[in-house]
Amino acid sequence: MISGQLALLISDYLIWSLTLIGGATLLLGLRNRLQRERWRMILSRPPAMAAFILLLVYLLIALLDSTHFRPLEIRQTGDPATSSKQYGTTEISLLDLLLNRIRLTDERSYSAPLALYGYSKEQVVTTTGNRRDYPRLKYGGAHVTDPANRNRDLLTRGSRGFGIALLILLPVFLLYRLMVRASRLSENNPRIAWAAAFATLAGLVLIGAVGYQLAGPYHLLGTDKVGQDVLYLGLKSIRTGMLIGVLTLLVMLPFALILGTAAGYFGGRIDDAVQYLYTTLSSIPGVLLIAAAVLSVNLYLDQNLTEVASLQQRADLRLLLLTAILGLTGWIGLCRLLRAESLKLRELDYVTAARAFGVADVRILIRHLLPNLGHLVLITVVIDFSGLVLAEAVLSYVGVGVDPSMISWGNMINSARLELAREPLVWWSLATAFALMFTLVLCANLFADAVRDALDPRLRGRQ
Amino acid sequence: MTAYLLRRLLYSAPILLGVNLITFSLFFIVNSPDDMAHKHLGDKRVTTEMVEKWKQDHGYDRPLIYADDRRGIARFSDTLFARHSLRLFLLDFGRADDGRDIGADIRQRMGPSLAIAIPHLLIGLLVYITVSLILTFFRATYIDFIGVFTAVALMSISAMFYIIAGQFLLGKLLHLTPISGYLGGLDGFRFLVTPVLVGLIAGLGSSVRWYRTLFLEEIEKDYIRSARARGLGESGVLFRHLLRNALIPILTGVVVIIPTLFMGSLITESFFSIPGLGSYTIDAIQAQDFAIVRAMVFLGALLYIGGLILTDLSYVLVDPRVRLE
């Protein structure tokens, strides 16, 4: 049994509370027939369904990785009187705990995926004396006694994983048939794309089971320059990417909502002021504004904040500041949309009626305008999310991204891109980072398309 | 028309002032000049005199906005804001931390940036419009569906992947072009091939999707229907009627970015080590040279506003219904 002391970072609190609030709103919304119908429309499209499931998996990994605690460490000194139990000084997450078998198996340097030997030659001590050769890895394939047997071992483990996957998928398949039958019986139209859901789940379970069989004993995706398992780094980066996307949206939403609706609804001076503000901000090239803000904030932190506790908390603070800056520079697009829409809405009869009845402005804004802006907000949020995930990599490359000590796709790409010049090629770090990032962004884009088609009344009936 | 232009120019002054205020507060209020001095002098054994000396050398030894001890206009002109921020209005960019003249650097580096940006823009327009017209021609068929899906997939790939893959494929594997570098004149052509090509492919997804939406919006209009009713073939409808009308939003979208082409692309230039303004900016960011970053922010804003004004003008030129009053 593993015990520890919960030690959540600020970003952990934020992402958990956001997920809980978002999930609750979603579930409550499903009681509304119209909302249910919209969700049905979204999930009736096979690509959107597959994307939705994959996004949930990413979110689950991010949440697991956002549950930090300090593990209980037992210091044994031989004498039971002086052995003590004590909470460790570094926080690890539930994901770290689950991934212990690839987290704690650092090699010395690069090694190719599923390799038994290191990437470059070193002095190797053998019974016949020292010579320069490729060293056996400390952990990767350490159980293979005869290197010639590696492929057979891979095959056995792979097929064992395949078998396990089939065992898991059997009940899932029955459930799927049940769902299909239920949806045929019901009158609901369009039908939810259960086939796509099952196919996605099957793919995930297969990859997961085979991967689990291979990832412990081998380095499934190789190791990086300091010998860390690339698969572990890639999975850890999911939290960073998701956090950047989600928290930035959290920062930009209030600005866009309040300023956009106020400018559109009240017009006049307020409109002028808001327009001036966003024209000024948008006239600065995006990356430059972000870079300028991040640089000056970082310098301020370096000079004035030296007593922040752990390295991890410091990285966390920098991440939060980065999302704040991205949010402060990113609300303009949505604000413009909301302003234009509010301009239109305020002339509509029901708003005029509400005003004639003497309803207060704030109340009109909340009761009559906001519900009619929901679709714009949701569409923009989903579209912006994918852009933010991509932006993280670029910003980290420019040097104004997340803390260099933080595991992120941007940092992975950054440290691996120079290795392409090597012979033989070190491609696995880059490939892993790009593939995981691509999957997340593609899912977000596909889901965004479906959301837009379902929610945008202008597009209704055109499809 | 002239009156409109004048008003637009006047209106851009407060915006530029706002931009200046933002950078000023970022670089001088969030960070005091003392912080900057400490950063440049290193952390260990820095005396107050050294900090003062550094500030004096770089012209940072002045009050922020209002000088109490001066008389007359000097109360406002002999301040950091006037000397470092307002001066940008005169296109006087001052000196970088290493003493180089920023204005001269910018003039020198505009050329390489344009050498990448202009071919990218022109060839891009041609390719993107062609591809999206083809998709429009095949609308609501599997070709269209696959095309849109490919565009979404292409959009989802990080720009850095295209660059790294392009360098690797063209430069290292096929040995067709140099991996990176830049040379002026006609000889430098081979250095431009990979960056332009990579840029074209990187922009393909989003541009094609955007143009396709424009075309599809246009194709539902009445004039298209009447053209068909008159018995015009599909290609005639697409090229003679649809394209011409859809060119209005396309053109105005392009005109906005023309001035910002000078700024170059940040990551493309730095990956291909092209000595343009984009890599200049990145180097400045990485070296934390705030004077250059300030200058580039101001220049970017200036060019963006110029682009907006040009857009308004291009509306008048392209669309006879629009008049600027």
Side-chain angles (χ1 to χ4, degrees), chain B residues 2 42 46 83 115 125 133 141 159 181 200 213 252 256 281 296 301-302:
Chain B
T2 327
V46 179
R83 294 184 72 97
L125 266 181
L133 264 182
T141 64
L200 284 181
T213 322
T252 46
V256 168
T281 315
M296 293 309 291
L302 197 69

Side-chain angles (χ1 to χ4, degrees), chain B residues 23-252:
Chain B
T23 47
F24 181 76
S25 51
L26 274 179
F27 288 125
F28 286 107
I29 297 176
V30 177
N31 300 294
S32 64
D34 285 352
D35 286 342
M36 266 190 278
H38 276 291
K39 153 122 193 47
H40 280 275
L41 295 171
D43 282 333
K44 293 196 180 97
R45 272 169 296 176
V46 179
T47 57
T48 330
E49 291 85 59
M50 284 163 75
V51 171
E52 289 304 323
K53 172 97 172 41
W54 187 90
K55 278 160 67 179
Q56 206 168 13
D57 288 347
H58 290 81
Y60 292 139
D61 56 341
R62 291 182 175 81
L64 283 176
I65 294 176
Y66 181 75
D68 231 0
D69 52 345
R70 303 296 158 97
R71 295 199 168 275
I73 193 79
R75 282 194 169 187
F76 297 97
S77 67
D78 202 24
T79 57
L80 286 178
F81 186 62
R83 294 184 72 97
H84 287 279
S85 282
L86 287 184
R87 202 171 59 170
L88 292 173
F89 273 100
L90 305 172
L91 294 185
D92 175 5
F93 296 114
R95 287 185 180 282
D97 281 348
D98 59 1
R100 292 169 61 95
D101 182 14
I102 298 177
D105 272 351
I106 288 177
R107 274 190 295 281
Q108 192 193 342
R109 281 167 170 265
M110 268 182 181
S113 283
L114 287 179
I116 300 283
I118 289 178
H120 177 206
L121 179 76
L122 295 181
I123 305 173
L125 266 181
L126 198 71
V127 173
Y128 300 157
I129 289 179
T130 317
V131 174
S132 32
L133 264 182
I134 293 173
L135 286 187
T136 317
F137 183 78
F138 289 110
R139 66 192 168 280
T141 64
Y142 268 102
I143 297 177
D144 183 34
F145 179 77
I146 293 168
V148 172
F149 188 85
T150 317
V152 175
L154 286 176
M155 269 167 69
S156 310
I157 299 175
S158 166
M160 291 160 89
F161 176 80
Y162 289 111
I163 297 176
I164 294 174
Q167 279 182 328
F168 181 71
L169 207 69
L170 292 176
K172 191 156 176 256
L173 222 55
L174 302 174
H175 296 290
L176 287 178
T177 52
I179 290 180
S180 66
Y182 181 80
L183 202 66
L186 277 178
D187 281 346
F189 174 74
R190 59 207 162 93
F191 287 100
L192 301 182
V193 176
T194 327
V196 171
L197 205 65
V198 162
L200 284 181
I201 296 172
L204 189 67
S206 53
S207 308
V208 164
R209 224 166 89 106
W210 163 241
Y211 290 144
R212 178 183 162 275
T213 322
L214 280 183
F215 291 146
L216 284 185
E217 239 166 59
E218 208 60 32
I219 211 160
E220 287 178 359
K221 299 238 168 105
D222 286 340
Y223 69 90
I224 297 278
R225 201 183 312 153
S226 67
R228 284 222 186 86
R230 281 184 281 127
L232 218 63
E234 188 66 18
S235 59
V237 171
L238 283 185
F239 283 99
R240 237 183 297 152
H241 291 258
L242 182 79
L243 185 58
R244 273 196 193 175
N245 284 284
L247 269 182
I248 297 173
I250 293 178
L251 194 74
T252 46

Side-chain angles (χ1 to χ4, degrees), chain A residues 423-444:
Chain A
E423 202 68 49
L425 194 64
V426 180
W427 51 269
W428 43 90
S429 278
L430 277 178
T432 308
F434 279 129
L436 283 171
M437 195 158 67
F438 171 68
T439 316
L440 178 58
V441 175
L442 181 66
C443 288

